[in-house]
Amino acid sequence: LACSGVFYYKRQYLTAYAATATTLNQQQQQPATEFPSSNTFKVNVLPRKDLPTYRLDEVKKHGKSAERIWVTFQQGVYDITDFIEGHPGGNKILMAAGGSIEPYWHLYQQHENEETYEMLEELRIGNLDPRDVDKDDLYANDPLRHPALQVLSQKPFNAETPSQLLIDHFYTPNPLFFVRSHMPVPKTHRVEIDGIGVKKPLSFNVDELKKQFEVVSVSATLQCAGNRRADMSKEKTVQGLPWKGSAISNAKWTGVRLRDVLVAAGVDPNDKRIKHVHFEGADHDTEGQHFGSSISFEKAMKSEVLLAFMMNDEEIPLDHGYPLRLVAPGIAGVRNVKWLKKIRLSDEESPAFWQQKDYKFTEKINYDAVPAIQEYPVQSAFVIPSENITVKRGLTYLEVAGYAWSGGGRGIIRVEVSADGGNTWQRAELEQNPDEDLDHMWSWTFFRATIQIPPNVKEMDLVCKATDRSYNTQPETARGTWNVRGLLNNAWHHIKVNVV
Amino acid sequence: LACSGVFYYKRQYLTAYAATATTLNQQQQQPATEFPSSNTFKVNVLPRKDLPTYRLDEVKKHGKSAERIWVTFQQGVYDITDFIEGHPGGNKILMAAGGSIEPYWHLYQQHENEETYEMLEELRIGNLDPRDVDKDDLYANDPLRHPALQVLSQKPFNAETPSQLLIDHFYTPNPLFFVRSHMPVPKTHRVEIDGIGVKKPLSFNVDELKKQFEVVSVSATLQCAGNRRADMSKEKTVQGLPWKGSAISNAKWTGVRLRDVLVAAGVDPNDKRIKHVHFEGADHDTEGQHFGSSISFEKAMKSEVLLAFMMNDEEIPLDHGYPLRLVAPGIAGVRNVKWLKKIRLSDEESPAFWQQKDYKFTEKINYDAVPAIQEYPVQSAFVIPSENITVKRGLTYLEVAGYAWSGGGRGIIRVEVSADGGNTWQRAELEQNPDEDLDHMWSWTFFRATIQIPPNVKEMDLVCKATDRSYNTQPETARGTWNVRGLLNNAWHHIKVNVV
């Protein structure tokens, strides 16, 4: 891939891409090398004439059992043997022995700074033959992405919807839907069903699904459990990709009801032995471990849970689970497994890492002490303005807007905004899917309000907060919800407005 | 009734009643005149020898169309004609014309102070014949209550469970279960079902129910929507009975499934026309308006929703809806209609005052702007210590305990306590109903923790907060949830501890 080895981080919002959905679809066809490069951090390791050139086969001989351990990075070859002991991440670095360290580095943001690259360069012993560069790229099959996406990591690909485009469309255009991947985009065709209570183990592809079951649609918002993580780190540093507030999008999903498929597999809806349904994706890590997750059997049998093959009336894009993904409305994004490969009925939760350890927050790493996240708490955030802004004195009103959403289908019953840090509130106008009711509201809510700018203020502390159908509200700060993984931050959202 | 006309308010916690459930049941048989009188406000209007005595028939001639308006209060007769214009409540006072003002006064707490009684006494024109005292008492059929209940109003009867007894029993003993009544306790025997989709209108009493349907039990907590209102008024004054934090109790309810009864009435569970189920109680106001409320048809058809005739394995007490009440677990107390009289299937919500206006909070009294409260937000509060307390310097640890609960069956997944106002937290130990799972937890959760008292502190700001199955948490303060009705206060609960 042309853009391999180019890192983007701390990317600012790109106004140049505030285009319409149509334009965006056209832009998606452009090559990835045209990604805007301003305000991004980029490393491009070039050959050094003072050093020898090696083929990849030679590098592979210096794997983790060898006397000297080599790795490659772009066009560099490095002997890291003497560094291993001093590596802050311990001997995890050995996973890259005899090959490229790139796939591993992308998993750990702390590598992406100048000091780390300088340190690596000191271990340089050669150049990788240009013919072998990218041969080791697990992400070579990843699709081209829309250049307006705000990229947090390229490998695996993780990107937010451009924040100021977020509420231009109630249904987020597919090319702008936020992307959360844990591993390279895989290829997959068939899905298998097995486990407790399955009388007729099934195997099918999308075409077979379409023929055998009723095709239905559901309007549903997906949100990354790390959305607004960057806000939480203002309270105290957290770990993980620094999602701002646009790791949330809404789409019309079309597919077949999971329950119809399970019943066709001979599953009795009243089978008390079945407690959970596991989903496995075709995406996998370098050791062959597939992505996996589970939801409760009770949820799986609800009419809104789909095996989806279309997104906004188009074939599901590669980044969103082509050819088939689970859509479990109201449940954390991570459970909506993409690139479906296996469905298994069980009396226990999925044993997968992403169910049992990742996406959990507990003090003292006692993972058993808390249940895996399923339904979301109530959330809201401003989109306009999207950052701390400056307005001219004399301006009387400020238009603000954003989104709100809650898990479990609990509709948003009110969003309030404040211009004074939460001392006084005014109700915002809401835009909701007219086909949904307050107890089955899988789509997000947009809010808009006109805030009066008080005369003689130097700054305003804008705040928004939402209340859901169960009258849950957002916590005032992250003081009581802070966790080192930065998950589920739903504290009141603040925007500072300077008046000059 | 012996205790008629005796007011209790600002009652402190009564340690003398920290007894076991068995003892409490025995004590309930004692006459109400033995209520402890310390720390209570009491008015007892006696005959005055300087004034004439009237029969009630004579008083009735001075009703609202008369030239001179008379009212009675206990053994006093008053001519209020010249006061009507100056009455802060306007001519509402005329509702009492020709009879006792007591039923009306009890609805408005502001009357219950010495100044008001002195003002009334100035209008005294006579004594009511002792033979007629209490004849006009709409509450004459109210049952005797347990003396340990913390009474907020006698007529209608509203009382909290004594806070320090609240977590002595996972199932609150019936005599100590908090009582929320809107009107006098009625008599009722038969229930009728009608409305949309009812093919066989039914009428039944409890004995007939028991014979025709499966008898089942559910463990469920009920909470008054005004629980912890007193806390909210610290933010800014609110209206309503100042419930502290014990307007919540838990019981094992036994009855028949509502859905079984509806199906027997010919209701099709998939009838899309039916959206709501109305419930009407036999309790009514002086103008014949019956208490009423509704829940969604979807909730009504859930297996946990009962028509209950037993509470903790005893016949439901009069105060809790004898002979039959609705128990809709996870839903606001007010919807769990007592003294059931009528069930009606409808395409609209109940038009009753308690559904449409009371129990709603909205800015500018725009009742249509918000939906009626159904499911609860997450809640927790300390019970031990129950008030601001003083401990001796040198004490190293402090035991704290309380309850947590959330609506919709969302189990409590953690309770955390803080000794420093919320800067640092420690997890509390939880006690839950082992027969319930996290997605169907209708019972409350008890929490206990041992807090280390830091050396050299003068006071501690104890805080508790809970997180539910959907990862909703409590708001830090009532800044964002304050409403003039003081409903649904679930802000972090603070207890001040002085160290001397």
Side-chain angles (χ1 to χ4, degrees), chain B residues 174-444:
Chain B
N174 291 359
L176 291 184
F177 202 99
F178 86 96
V179 182
R180 174 71 180 108
S181 296
H182 296 81
M183 287 171 295
V185 171
K187 284 185 180 167
T188 171
H189 296 288
R190 294 197 76 76
V191 182
E192 286 170 13
I193 298 184
D194 61 17
I196 294 178
V198 174
K199 298 197 189 76
K200 292 172 269 180
L202 284 186
S203 166
F204 52 81
N205 64 22
V206 170
D207 285 340
E208 291 158 7
L209 270 192
K210 285 182 189 171
K211 280 176 203 157
Q212 288 177 43
F213 301 98
E214 185 185 358
V215 173
V216 293
S217 295
V218 65
S219 166
T221 293
L222 295 185
Q223 183 181 205
C224 175
N227 191 33
R228 298 190 59 215
R229 175 181 284 144
D231 270 358
M232 193 177 259
S233 58
K234 289 172 193 159
E235 187 77 26
K236 198 166 81 180
T237 309
V238 299
Q239 293 170 3
L241 292 173
W243 299 100
K244 281 183 166 177
S246 304
I248 183 169
S249 300
N250 188 52
K252 175 189 165 193
W253 306 93
T254 301
V256 300
R257 290 184 202 95
L258 174 59
R259 77 168 176 208
D260 292 349
V261 179
L262 293 180
V263 167
V267 173
D268 173 4
N270 299 313
D271 190 332
K272 298 288 180 216
R273 297 170 302 165
I274 313 171
K275 302 287 187 200
H276 302 274
V277 184
H278 303 190
F279 301 91
E280 206 175 280
D283 49 333
H284 59 84
D285 66 13
T286 48
E287 285 157 355
Q289 189 185 16
H290 284 263
F291 184 81
S293 212
S294 65
I295 64 174
S296 73
F297 181 55
E298 183 178 13
K299 176 69 179 179
M301 296 302 276
K302 294 273 171 85
S303 61
E304 70 268 12
V305 177
L306 304 188
L307 301 179
F309 41 77
M310 294 185 82
M311 181 175 173
N312 293 326
D313 298 320
E314 295 172 7
E315 194 170 64
I316 285 196
L318 272 172
D319 264 335
H320 298 290
Y322 173 89
L324 195 71
R325 76 173 300 171
L326 177 71
V327 173
I331 301 274
V334 64
R335 310 284 168 242
N336 292 255
V337 174
K338 303 194 280 191
W339 310 296
L340 264 185
K341 182 176 176 291
K342 194 169 280 182
I343 299 171
R344 175 167 290 153
L345 303 182
S346 176
D347 54 350
E348 292 192 324
E349 270 193 330
S350 166
F353 171 71
W354 300 272
Q355 186 84 17
Q356 298 297 336
K357 294 188 174 164
D358 204 5
Y359 292 95
K360 271 196 182 179
F361 53 94
T362 118
E363 74 286 5
K364 297 174 192 167
I365 323 192
N366 175 15
Y367 294 117
D368 293 337
V370 287
I373 294 165
Q374 295 283 355
E375 286 186 3
Y376 264 93
V378 59
Q379 175 72 288
S380 77
F382 287 112
V383 166
I384 299 167
S386 69
E387 305 267 356
N388 298 342
I389 60 158
T390 298
V391 300
K392 286 207 174 131
R393 188 169 305 284
L395 189 69
T396 321
Y397 294 98
L398 187 65
E399 302 289 335
V400 303
Y403 64 81
W405 189 64
S406 190
R410 293 183 286 277
I412 297 297
I413 63 164
R414 85 175 110 214
V415 177
E416 287 153 300
V417 296
S418 171
D420 56 12
N423 290 321
T424 59
W425 298 94
Q426 72 180 74
R427 186 189 284 240
E429 284 185 32
L430 305 186
E431 181 187 344
Q432 300 182 316
N433 183 340
D435 297 331
E436 293 178 326
D437 66 59
L438 281 181
D439 294 314
H440 311 84
M441 193 171 286
W442 312 114
S443 302
W444 57 12

Side-chain angles (χ1 to χ4, degrees), chain A residues 298 371 440 465 471 476-477 480, chain B residues 298 371 440 465 471 476-477 480:
Chain A
E298 183 177 12
H440 309 85
K465 68 174 175 71
Y471 281 86
E476 196 168 324
T477 70
Chain B
E298 183 178 13
H440 311 84
K465 69 176 174 68
Y471 281 85
E476 196 167 324
T477 70

Side-chain angles (χ1 to χ4, degrees), chain A residues 191-252:
Chain A
V191 183
E192 285 169 14
I193 299 185
D194 61 18
I196 295 178
V198 174
K199 298 197 190 76
K200 293 172 270 181
L202 285 187
S203 166
F204 51 79
N205 64 23
V206 169
D207 285 341
E208 290 158 7
L209 270 192
K210 285 182 189 170
K211 281 177 203 156
Q212 288 178 42
F213 301 99
E214 184 185 358
V215 173
V216 294
S217 295
V218 65
S219 167
T221 293
L222 295 185
Q223 183 181 206
C224 175
N227 191 33
R228 299 189 60 213
R229 176 181 284 143
D231 270 358
M232 193 177 258
S233 58
K234 289 173 193 159
E235 187 78 24
K236 198 166 79 179
T237 308
V238 298
Q239 293 169 4
L241 292 173
W243 300 100
K244 282 182 165 179
S246 303
I248 182 169
S249 300
N250 188 52
K252 174 188 166 193

Side-chain angles (χ1 to χ4, degrees), chain A residues 47-246:
Chain A
R48 267 169 54 183
K49 290 184 180 167
D50 60 320
L51 295 174
T53 291
Y54 298 99
R55 292 300 302 258
L56 188 57
D57 285 345
E58 178 62 24
V59 175
K60 282 185 177 166
K61 291 176 190 163
H62 296 269
K64 62 182 169 188
S65 310
E67 204 172 315
R68 303 297 300 178
I69 308 295
W70 291 8
V71 299
T72 69
F73 181 68
Q74 295 181 18
Q75 296 193 58
V77 175
Y78 308 85
D79 181 336
I80 61 166
T81 318
D82 303 329
F83 175 70
I84 295 167
E85 210 170 316
H87 180 228
N91 62 8
K92 271 190 192 171
I93 199 173
L94 283 178
M95 290 194 295
S100 171
I101 55 167
E102 223 175 302
Y104 306 98
W105 271 20
H106 290 306
L107 298 175
Y108 302 97
Q109 291 279 310
Q110 58 267 43
H111 292 107
E112 297 183 3
N113 61 68
E114 210 161 328
E115 293 69 27
T116 305
Y117 295 111
E118 284 172 5
M119 204 183 296
L120 181 68
E121 200 59 26
E122 287 173 15
L123 307 174
R124 182 88 174 255
I125 54 163
N127 307 312
L128 183 62
D129 192 298
R131 288 169 288 180
D132 292 333
V133 173
D134 290 345
K135 257 202 182 164
D136 204 30
D137 186 4
L138 301 168
Y139 295 86
N141 293 317
D142 272 22
L144 294 184
R145 277 91 182 202
H146 195 280
L149 285 172
Q150 298 185 294
V151 181
L152 278 80
S153 77
Q154 284 286 354
K155 302 178 181 185
F157 189 76
N158 286 288
E160 299 193 46
T161 305
S163 77
Q164 297 211 359
L165 302 189
L166 196 65
I167 60 168
D168 281 359
H169 307 273
F170 194 76
Y171 293 106
T172 316
N174 291 359
L176 292 184
F177 203 99
F178 85 97
V179 181
R180 173 73 179 105
S181 296
H182 296 81
M183 288 170 296
V185 171
K187 285 185 180 166
T188 172
H189 296 287
R190 296 197 74 77
V191 183
E192 285 169 14
I193 299 185
D194 61 18
I196 295 178
V198 174
K199 298 197 190 76
K200 293 172 270 181
L202 285 187
S203 166
F204 51 79
N205 64 23
V206 169
D207 285 341
E208 290 158 7
L209 270 192
K210 285 182 189 170
K211 281 177 203 156
Q212 288 178 42
F213 301 99
E214 184 185 358
V215 173
V216 294
S217 295
V218 65
S219 167
T221 293
L222 295 185
Q223 183 181 206
C224 175
N227 191 33
R228 299 189 60 213
R229 176 181 284 143
D231 270 358
M232 193 177 258
S233 58
K234 289 173 193 159
E235 187 78 24
K236 198 166 79 179
T237 308
V238 298
Q239 293 169 4
L241 292 173
W243 300 100
K244 282 182 165 179
S246 303

